[in-house]
Protein backbone atom coordinates (compact mmCIF):
# COMPACT_ATOMS: atom_id res chain seq x y z
CA UNK A 1 0.00 0.00 0.00
CA UNK A 2 1.70 3.20 -1.11
CA UNK A 3 1.45 5.99 1.44
CA UNK A 4 2.11 9.69 1.03
CA UNK A 5 0.35 12.34 3.12
CA UNK A 6 -2.91 10.44 3.58
CA UNK A 7 -3.56 11.36 7.20
CA UNK A 8 -7.29 12.10 6.64
CA UNK A 9 -8.00 8.71 5.03
CA UNK A 10 -5.36 6.21 6.22
CA UNK A 11 -7.47 4.87 9.11
CA UNK A 12 -10.43 4.14 6.82
CA UNK A 13 -8.16 2.45 4.29
CA UNK A 14 -6.46 0.26 6.90
CA UNK A 15 -9.71 -0.62 8.63
CA UNK A 16 -11.28 -1.66 5.33
CA UNK A 17 -8.39 -4.04 4.68
CA UNK A 18 -8.16 -5.43 8.21
CA UNK A 19 -11.90 -6.11 8.58
CA UNK A 20 -11.98 -8.46 5.60
CA UNK A 21 -12.51 -12.10 6.50
CA UNK A 22 -10.15 -14.49 4.72
CA UNK A 23 -9.24 -18.16 4.88
CA UNK A 24 -5.55 -17.39 4.46
CA UNK A 25 -2.83 -15.31 6.06
CA UNK A 26 -1.77 -12.13 4.36
CA UNK A 27 0.77 -9.40 4.85
CA UNK A 28 0.07 -5.73 4.32
CA UNK A 29 3.15 -3.82 3.25
CA UNK A 30 2.81 -0.08 3.73
CA UNK A 31 5.44 1.89 1.88
CA UNK A 32 5.70 5.48 3.05
CA UNK A 33 7.27 7.90 0.58
CA UNK A 34 8.52 10.52 3.04
CA UNK A 35 5.11 11.73 4.23
CA UNK A 36 5.20 15.07 5.97
CA UNK A 37 1.89 14.77 7.82
CA UNK A 38 0.80 12.23 10.47
CA UNK A 39 0.28 9.34 8.04
CA UNK A 40 3.33 7.38 9.12
CA UNK A 41 2.53 7.80 12.81
CA UNK A 42 -0.94 6.35 12.25
CA UNK A 43 0.46 3.49 10.18
CA UNK A 44 2.91 2.68 12.99
CA UNK A 45 0.05 2.64 15.52
CA UNK A 46 -1.72 0.05 13.38
CA UNK A 47 1.50 -1.93 12.99
CA UNK A 48 1.80 -2.08 16.79
CA UNK A 49 -1.75 -3.52 16.96
CA UNK A 50 -1.22 -5.96 14.06
CA UNK A 51 2.50 -6.83 14.01
CA UNK A 52 1.96 -10.16 12.24
CA UNK A 53 0.08 -8.49 9.39
CA UNK A 54 1.52 -5.00 8.86
CA UNK A 55 5.05 -4.24 7.71
CA UNK A 56 6.14 -0.65 7.09
CA UNK A 57 8.85 0.45 4.69
CA UNK A 58 9.99 4.06 4.92
CA UNK A 59 11.63 6.10 2.20
CA UNK A 60 13.50 8.99 3.80
CA UNK A 61 13.34 11.06 0.62
CA UNK A 62 10.50 11.12 -1.91
CA UNK A 63 11.34 9.24 -5.07
CA UNK A 64 9.96 8.38 -8.50
CA UNK A 65 7.19 5.81 -8.88
CA UNK A 66 9.26 3.12 -10.61
CA UNK A 67 11.91 3.09 -7.90
CA UNK A 68 9.18 3.08 -5.26
CA UNK A 69 7.53 0.04 -6.88
CA UNK A 70 10.85 -1.83 -7.06
CA UNK A 71 11.61 -0.89 -3.44
CA UNK A 72 8.36 -2.56 -2.31
CA UNK A 73 8.99 -5.70 -4.34
CA UNK A 74 12.54 -6.02 -3.01
CA UNK A 75 11.35 -5.84 0.59
CA UNK A 76 8.44 -8.25 0.12
CA UNK A 77 8.89 -11.51 2.00
Amino acid sequence: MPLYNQEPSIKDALNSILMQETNYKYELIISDDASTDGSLKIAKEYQAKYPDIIKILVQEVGDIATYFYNFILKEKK
Side-chain angles (χ1 to χ4, degrees):
M1 172 183 206
L3 179 64
Y4 180 73
N5 288 351
Q6 295 298 315
E7 185 175 11
S9 61
I10 186 68
K11 288 181 181 181
D12 288 339
L14 291 173
N15 287 332
S16 72
I17 293 168
L18 294 167
M19 70 183 234
Q20 295 182 37
E21 295 180 19
T22 65
N23 295 325
Y24 51 86
K25 287 186 173 185
Y26 64 92
E27 180 178 46
L28 173 59
I29 300 172
I30 300 172
S31 187
D32 180 70
D33 193 20
S35 290
T36 57
D37 64 358
S39 300
L40 183 58
K41 180 181 180 211
I42 294 167
K44 287 180 177 182
E45 289 170 0
Y46 274 75
Q47 182 185 38
K49 291 179 188 175
Y50 304 96
D52 295 334
I53 297 174
I54 298 177
K55 180 177 181 181
I56 299 175
L57 308 175
V58 179
Q59 285 284 99
E60 298 298 325
V61 178
D63 219 348
I64 59 173
T66 303
Y67 180 82
F68 192 55
Y69 176 76
N70 290 332
F71 176 75
I72 294 169
L73 291 179
K74 182 181 85 174
E75 295 295 325
K76 185 178 177 293
K77 285 184 180 178

